[in-house]
Amino acid sequence: SLQHRSDAQKTWEAVRTERARLVAALSLLGFAVSPSQSNFVLARVPMGASAPALQQALEERGILVRYFAEPRLRDALRISIGTQVQNDRVLSELRALLERR
């Protein structure tokens, strides 16, 4: 690990950059995103949307996000930070799904 520290730093920076971009885009879609310093975000779905329905619809499209049926998390999705292309796809699919409701 110590021998590849510069590679790890590039990866960490990419995650930070994509996390900020993903949070901003999710916020524009109406999600309330909790502050995060990790490689995922917890995004509360917009009013009138269903977290389990969005999770299922994304899974049907080949996109895996986490949904937890715990009382305090029932309105949220856990979305891992991916590459720019992967994050763009998640955002595109979420945009399309939210427009249909």
Side-chain angles (χ1 to χ4, degrees):
S1 296
L2 295 175
Q3 294 173 349
H4 302 285
R5 189 161 179 83
S6 66
D7 292 336
Q9 287 176 327
K10 289 176 189 174
T11 300
W12 300 332
E13 183 57 37
V15 168
R16 284 191 292 269
T17 299
E18 277 304 301
R19 183 179 56 229
R21 194 176 73 84
L22 185 63
V23 166
L26 287 169
S27 296
L28 288 174
L29 291 175
F31 287 83
V33 185
S34 299
S36 174
Q37 296 297 314
S38 64
N39 66 339
F40 66 88
V41 295
L42 183 68
R44 299 202 180 276
V45 300
M47 183 83 64
S50 164
L54 285 174
Q55 184 272 332
Q56 181 64 40
L58 289 171
E59 186 174 329
E60 290 168 2
R61 290 160 176 77
I63 298 171
L64 301 178
V65 299
R66 297 286 309 267
Y67 167 72
F68 302 96
E70 301 295 324
R72 295 185 340 173
L73 298 174
R74 286 189 181 137
D75 64 342
L77 298 174
R78 180 192 183 276
I79 303 172
S80 294
I81 308 302
T83 65
Q84 182 177 356
V85 170
Q86 291 167 332
N87 294 333
D88 285 345
R89 178 144 183 257
V90 169
L91 292 166
S92 175
E93 294 293 346
L94 282 171
R95 192 174 296 110
L97 290 166
L98 291 171
E99 287 175 357
R100 293 182 189 161
R101 60 182 173 106

